[in-house]
Amino acid sequence: MELLKHPHHSLFIFVFGLVLVFPSALSWKDAVTHVHQFVIQEASVKRLCKTQHVMTVNGMYPGPTLEIKNGDTLSVKVINKGKYNVTIHWHGVRQMRTGWADGPEFVTQCPIRPGGSYTYRFTVRGQEGTLWWHAHSSWLRATVYGALLIQPREGTNFPFAKPDRQSTLLLGEWWNANPVDVVREATRTGAAPNISDAYTINGQPGDLYNCSTQDTVVVPISSGETNLLRVVNSAMNQPLFFTIANHKFTVVGADASYVKPFTTSVLMLGPGQTTDVLISGDQPAGRYFMAARAYQSAQNAPFDNTTTTAILEYKSAACSSDPIMPRLPAFNDTPTVTAFSTSFRSRERALVPAQIDESLFFTVGLGLNNCPPNFNGTRFTASMNNVSFSLPSNFSLLQAHIQGIRGVFTSDFPAAPPRVFDYTGNVSRSLWQPATGTKLYRLKYGSRVQVVLQDTSIVTPENHPIHLHGYDFYIIAEGFGNYNPKTDSSKFNLVDPPLRNTAAVPVGGWAVIRFVADNPGVWLMHCHLDVHITWGLAMAFLVEDGVGKLEAIEPPPEDLPICS
């Protein structure tokens, strides 16, 4: 696989072989349409001394980076030459009225079957910074993912000094196994899936793993430069700390929204989250490790405790010099996580809904299902408001909604848990087994929504990265323990809260988000730890059409995959 061995060759093929750019009919001046082709295919990838056959896009692991400007349109034809069903999700893209292009399997579309194809077409408007794309079928996103970079709109600039260069760092996880087999075995046994064998930066484990040193990613910098690093946690199941030896970060963006700049020496990203930072070439010329390892908030749960590295290399540094290793926080350093997550503020005054039409309270957490009669033991499960989400298999939820197909879902997802209990205390075992259902919560177009996301201590409390498709939301407060509406509402930031698409709900705590339901369709909300969505930690909002064509979802594309 020469594409995999020679990243520069891959870049050449990607830039000059896959991209067509031509003027669009958009009203935004100078906006363009970018046309790409993604071929889902198996490729041989050697990591940790072993060769694995994994699913890729265009033979590349990670997949190609897409770069557009605010206001541009993407048209990506996905051709499935692999052996599994597949869909592609454009993580964080608002998908205004284009829910058919969002990608989660059996939510907004049926999967692209082997031998089939589907073209995702959508416009990215009002978002700048770093997003990403990934498979949204089974565990294919372990290797099927890539960055989506959104540069400032034509004729505008960054709200900070233009960086001298930009680099993208995709943090991932690697198994010495087929990830689909890993999740299938866990589903068969009811146990937790095997932990990963390595973390990666741009697909490479780095110097601290066997057979990996020669391919460690090197990020160049020159003395005196200010560079923009775009960091994405594309790992499957692990929040990650990230730091660079002897260098500070100035955080300037997250989830394709600008933030008030603040300085930190360490980042923590939950899976799905992105963070844009500036670094200065202000240290002695040398080589400095960039390192990532686990933030593990679930007690007594096994996790991958290894460390992935890349190298920040000054151009005048001697190539033979040993890189300097940074100090990373302890695996369970929740105070560092809290200090980091509570530092985010929107750069401008935020348009936070002051009045609320829908006040919702969602518990998020794990559970145990008793096995059927004649079988011993229990199976892991997960739920929101005691409902473990089950995807349909004959129709997508959006298709069932638009076509009025009965029996696919119900619209009775509870606005609050069926029972009030001490959510983060010692929970009775009678509350550990949730019901299973395909339940949606219906929202009127334009309704102003507040959701309290409350972690529970069922099985174990844990930091949950909760992602909402089709929307950004303001995180107006977070805290520990049980949310108390009488006292915790005083902590609400309604002036400049951060705008995110994935909220890291604190371990044993809560977060409060607000958004306006201005995007009609069916939108999945789920934990972005893939083990948890596999177990059912998800729900979906059904946002009704408003008045007129511009407040209604567009008709489905002609090539929308059908379920068979």
Side-chain angles (χ1 to χ4, degrees):
M1 287 300 301
E2 293 301 310
L3 278 176
L4 294 163
K5 291 181 180 178
H6 301 293
H8 296 297
H9 294 181
S10 299
L11 182 65
F12 179 88
I13 292 173
F14 164 61
V15 172
F16 292 99
L18 293 179
V19 182
L20 299 172
V21 178
F22 51 83
S24 165
L26 288 170
S27 60
W28 282 31
K29 184 177 180 292
D30 300 321
V32 299
T33 294
H34 303 255
V35 178
H36 299 265
Q37 182 170 285
F38 279 11
V39 178
I40 308 296
Q41 61 191 61
E42 190 171 86
S44 297
V45 180
K46 187 174 184 179
R47 297 292 185 274
L48 308 182
C49 317
K50 298 179 180 179
T51 298
Q52 301 290 337
H53 300 287
V54 301
M55 303 312 299
T56 67
V57 168
N58 302 339
M60 299 168 64
Y61 166 68
T65 293
L66 306 184
E67 186 168 348
I68 65 173
K69 292 181 179 179
N70 178 5
D72 288 353
T73 294
L74 272 167
S75 178
V76 183
K77 184 174 183 178
V78 177
I79 301 171
N80 187 2
K81 293 187 177 180
K83 58 184 178 180
Y84 303 110
N85 294 339
V86 71
T87 64
I88 300 294
H89 170 52
W90 312 92
H91 186 110
V93 174
R94 283 294 318 268
Q95 297 289 3
M96 295 299 292
R97 302 179 55 234
T98 53
W100 304 105
D102 188 44
E105 185 177 76
F106 292 115
V107 178
T108 59
Q109 67 168 98
C110 292
I112 306 168
R113 309 286 180 179
S117 66
Y118 178 48
T119 299
Y120 294 88
R121 184 181 176 88
F122 53 90
T123 298
V124 178
R125 185 174 295 171
Q127 297 179 283
E128 293 182 8
T130 306
L131 296 175
W132 62 302
W133 58 265
H134 60 80
H136 214 295
S137 304
S138 183
W139 274 23
L140 293 181
R141 82 167 180 87
T143 54
V144 178
Y145 64 91
L148 172 55
L149 312 183
I150 310 168
Q151 302 291 356
R153 179 180 167 185
E154 189 70 32
T156 67
N157 298 307
F158 295 108
F160 45 83
K162 185 178 179 180
D164 295 295
R165 77 175 81 221
Q166 303 180 36
S167 300
T168 303
L169 302 173
L170 292 154
L171 312 180
E173 275 183 281
W174 177 263
W175 277 262
N176 280 329
N178 180 342
V180 174
D181 291 341
V182 171
V183 68
R184 285 179 175 175
E185 176 65 11
T187 301
R188 184 186 70 81
T189 64
N194 290 341
I195 61 173
S196 56
D197 294 288
Y199 300 113
T200 60
I201 298 176
N202 291 352
Q204 296 293 342
D207 283 13
L208 305 184
Y209 297 90
N210 291 335
C211 306
S212 301
T213 302
Q214 66 182 19
D215 295 313
T216 296
V217 170
V218 176
V219 177
I221 192 170
S222 296
S223 295
E225 281 187 345
T226 298
N227 294 349
L228 177 64
L229 297 183
R230 303 171 178 270
V231 187
V232 181
N233 186 346
S234 37
M236 292 292 289
N237 296 312
Q238 194 64 57
L240 293 168
F241 289 116
F242 177 78
T243 190
I244 304 177
N246 295 2
H247 289 72
K248 296 276 192 182
F249 302 116
T250 300
V251 178
V252 293
D255 292 358
S257 292
Y258 295 118
V259 301
K260 284 187 172 71
F262 67 93
T263 302
T264 180
S265 59
V266 64
L267 312 180
M268 198 293 288
L269 297 88
Q273 293 185 316
T274 74
T275 306
D276 292 351
V277 299
L278 298 174
I279 60 167
S280 297
D282 56 5
Q283 296 299 305
R287 305 171 81 226
Y288 299 84
F289 272 131
M290 320 168 91
R293 75 174 185 186
Y295 165 51
Q296 178 65 12
S297 60
Q299 295 183 0
N300 302 317
F303 68 99
D304 181 347
N305 63 1
T306 62
T307 302
T308 181
T309 57
I311 298 172
L312 181 69
E313 183 174 274
Y314 282 72
K315 286 199 166 182
S316 55
C319 292
S320 59
S321 62
D322 291 332
I324 298 170
M325 190 69 190
R327 293 185 61 184
L328 280 151
F331 294 115
N332 62 350
D333 190 350
T334 294
T336 290
V337 173
T338 303
F340 177 68
S341 65
T342 56
S343 295
F344 285 85
R345 298 283 186 274
S346 285
R347 191 174 183 97
E348 310 293 341
R349 185 176 179 88
L351 300 174
V352 189
Q355 303 299 317
I356 297 301
D357 303 306
E358 297 274 1
S359 184
L360 309 176
F361 187 101
F362 292 175
T363 56
V364 296
L366 306 184
L368 291 175
N369 274 339
N370 293 318
C371 289
N374 304 321
F375 291 88
N376 292 324
T378 56
R379 300 176 61 87
F380 278 114
T381 185
S383 68
M384 299 178 76
N385 277 358
N386 203 47
V387 179
S388 186
F389 192 73
S390 176
L391 286 169
S393 58
N394 295 325
F395 301 96
S396 74
L397 296 173
L398 183 56
Q399 178 187 7
H401 163 54
I402 295 298
Q403 297 181 1
I405 302 170
R406 296 182 178 273
V408 179
F409 66 85
T410 59
S411 301
D412 57 347
F413 185 86
R419 287 180 57 180
V420 176
F421 59 97
D422 181 4
Y423 307 112
T424 55
N426 188 12
V427 181
S428 167
R429 287 293 291 257
S430 65
L431 298 176
W432 283 34
Q433 180 159 334
T436 299
T438 310
K439 297 177 182 290
L440 278 57
Y441 192 90
R442 189 178 292 268
L443 294 171
K444 290 188 179 301
Y445 182 92
S447 58
R448 298 160 295 185
V449 184
Q450 175 177 294
V451 186
V452 176
L453 298 166
Q454 173 71 62
D455 186 27
T456 78
S457 57
I458 297 175
V459 181
T460 179
E462 188 166 1
N463 184 293
H464 293 279
I466 302 297
H467 173 50
L468 176 58
H469 289 229
Y471 284 88
D472 289 324
F473 50 75
Y474 291 106
I475 304 176
I476 62 172
E478 65 174 66
F480 292 97
N482 298 337
Y483 174 77
N484 184 332
K486 293 181 179 179
T487 57
D488 289 329
S489 58
S490 65
K491 303 173 184 176
F492 287 0
N493 174 7
L494 302 180
V495 178
D496 59 353
L499 190 64
R500 305 296 300 258
N501 63 57
T502 305
V505 178
V507 54
W510 50 269
V512 183
I513 67 171
R514 286 188 181 183
F515 63 95
V516 176
D518 60 356
N519 193 11
V522 176
W523 304 106
L524 190 65
M525 174 184 267
H526 65 94
C527 181
H528 219 278
L529 306 179
D530 272 41
V531 59
H532 290 177
I533 190 175
T534 302
W535 290 340
L537 210 169
M539 60 81 63
F541 288 108
L542 191 165
V543 181
E544 298 173 349
D545 284 349
V547 178
K549 179 179 178 181
L550 296 181
E551 293 183 0
I553 189 168
E554 294 180 357
E558 291 184 0
D559 64 338
L560 185 73
I562 60 172
C563 289
S564 56

